[in-house]
């Protein structure tokens, strides 16, 4: 029996009393992945990206482990909800235009002490001030550095279009604006190198593309390490007591941790290890989050149909954004239909061994987005469901 076949047998036994559709997290794999992130961070704390987890119970579980500290959130409403729930070190990774949220933040000393918000433009400071509604609490802010690699005089750009702050001088200028402005305190710098951390460098069947990605990433790492160090020096000249410099992502943990300028690492997808994280030479994780769909039809030889499963991930549309049938091994989509809103035909010889009511296990393309489809996650240890916990959705929280 292969390792994957053994996992299927475990998951089927653990959930035999449960009807699909359902979602699980294999805690043995989850904990092993967490341990690997800490190992690769080499002593620097890992800040958990909540968008890649979207489950309070699992955020609590990973933050209870040595080597993890703090949450990187994705909306202001989520940040405030987490702070009210008892989390006390929350970095909002994206600028917000949530005026009511800023009013709440500025009026509550507990929330203001727990949440750090992202800015990359004086307009963000203006919006926050205009939203205070009498609230006088000091708002903690973080500056975001644009990590993109610019070549040929800026005519070629590699990396996500995020912050407009690219140079040390630009960040130092905004740092001075924050330092001069009453009601704000600059506490950190964040730089997410998605073109390094979020792009696999070993694409199956694409050796030339993989080599080109590795060359690009090596060049980007060198350029960013030098620029990030210069940015930190420039900002610390304005704000000497800066609390943190955040960098990284699941795919670049060990490289970013090696930079002296970085004080903490961000990671989240590496806990669940969705399918987009299969193509890396820097690490190998264990798939921990899966969902099951029930077989509802057997249209013919080598074909079964499962209920639903059309859960595409965000990003540029393409096959890599689709979930993949994972267990039993050997199933694939009908190219004329793909994963459907209500039904999904699956092709392959394993279909002939599946009966109506059996489960087919899938992996989502991205991590936390799976939790937007399910109200609960069944936590499996060995071949037993040891707990069932709500996702954000299951708690009635849908932030995006």
């Amino acid at each position: 029996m292969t390792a994957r076949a053994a996992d299927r047998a475990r998951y089927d036994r653990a959930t035999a009393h449960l009807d699909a559709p359902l979602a699980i997290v294999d805690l043995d794999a989850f904990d092993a992945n967490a341990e690997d992130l800490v190992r690769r961070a080499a002593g620097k704390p890992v800040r958990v990206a909540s968008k890649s987890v979207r489950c309070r119970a699992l955020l609590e579980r990973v933050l209870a482990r040595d080597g993890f500290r703090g949450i990187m959130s994705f909306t202001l409403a989520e940040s405030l909800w987490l702070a009210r729930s008892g989390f006390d070190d929350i970095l909002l990774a994206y600028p917000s235009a949530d005026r009511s949220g800023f009013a709440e933040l500025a009026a509550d000393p507990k929330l203001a002490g727990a949440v750090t918000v992202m800015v990359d433009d004086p307009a963000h400071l203006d919006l926050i001030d205009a939203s205070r509604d009498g609230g006088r609490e000091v708002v903690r802010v973080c500056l975001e550095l644009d990590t993109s690699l610019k070549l040929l005089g800026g005519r070629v750009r590699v990396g996500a279009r995020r912050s407009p702050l690219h140079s040390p001088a630009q960040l130092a200028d905004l740092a001075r604006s924050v330092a001069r402005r009453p009601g704000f305190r600059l506490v950190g710098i964040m730089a997410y190198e998605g073109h390094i951390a979020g792009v696999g460098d070993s694409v199956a069947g694409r050796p030339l593309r993989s080599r080109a990605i590795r060359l690009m990433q090596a060049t980007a790492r060198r350029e960013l390490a030098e620029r990030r160090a210069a940015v930190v020096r420039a900002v610390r000249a304005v704000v000497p007591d800066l609390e943190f410099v955040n960098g990284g992502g699941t795919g670049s943990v060990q490289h970013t941790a090696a930079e002296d300028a970085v004080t903490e690492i961000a990671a989240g997808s590496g806990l669940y290890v969705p399918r987009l994280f299969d193509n890396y030479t820097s690490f190998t994780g264990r798939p921990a989050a899966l969902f099951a769909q029930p077989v509802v039809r057997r249209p013919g030889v080598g074909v079964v149909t499962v209920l639903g499963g059309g859960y595409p991930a965000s990003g540029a549309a393409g096959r890599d954004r689709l979930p993949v049938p994972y267990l039993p091994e050997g199933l694939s989509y009908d190219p004329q239909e793909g994963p459907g809103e209500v039904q999904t035909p699956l092709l392959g010889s394993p279909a002939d061994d599946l009966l109506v009511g059996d489960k087919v296990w899938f992996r989502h393309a991205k991590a936390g987005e799976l939790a937007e489809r399910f109200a609960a996650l069944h936590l499996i240890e060995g071949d037993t469901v040891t707990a069932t916990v709500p996702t954000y959705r299951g708690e009635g929280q849908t932030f995006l």
Side-chain angles (χ1 to χ4, degrees), residues 206-278:
R206 304 289 296 275
L208 294 180
R209 177 176 174 79
S210 298
R211 193 174 307 154
I213 291 172
R214 287 194 290 273
L215 177 61
M216 176 276 291
Q217 290 179 338
T219 303
R221 280 197 299 269
R222 289 193 297 270
E223 186 276 338
L224 179 59
E226 294 177 4
R227 183 158 51 91
R228 181 154 39 199
V231 163
V232 172
R233 288 194 297 271
V235 174
R236 285 194 186 278
V238 180
V239 184
D241 58 346
L242 207 63
E243 293 178 14
F244 64 85
V245 177
N246 180 283
T250 289
S252 67
V253 170
Q254 65 270 37
H255 302 296
T256 309
E259 296 182 33
D260 291 338
V262 174
T263 66
E264 64 176 38
I265 308 299
S269 295
L271 296 169
Y272 286 170
V273 187
R275 63 167 294 207
L276 282 179
F277 285 81
D278 286 346

Side-chain angles (χ1 to χ4, degrees), residues 313-336:
S314 60
R319 292 185 61 83
D320 66 339
R321 300 290 138 170
L322 300 180
V324 291
Y326 183 61
L327 301 170
E329 298 179 66
L331 293 173
S332 61
Y333 293 124
D334 181 332
Q336 296 185 30

Side-chain angles (χ1 to χ4, degrees), residues 298-317:
R298 292 170 48 87
V301 176
V303 186
V304 292
T305 302
V306 299
L307 182 71
Y311 306 154
S314 60

Side-chain angles (χ1 to χ4, degrees), residues 94-112:
Y94 305 87
S96 176
D98 181 353
R99 291 176 173 83
S100 62
F102 282 127
E104 186 177 354
L105 180 70
D108 189 316
K110 177 183 176 183
L111 298 180

Side-chain angles (χ1 to χ4, degrees), residues 87-100:
F87 297 97
D88 60 3
D89 180 2
I90 303 159
L91 170 62
L92 174 57
Y94 305 87
S96 176
D98 181 353
R99 291 176 173 83
S100 62

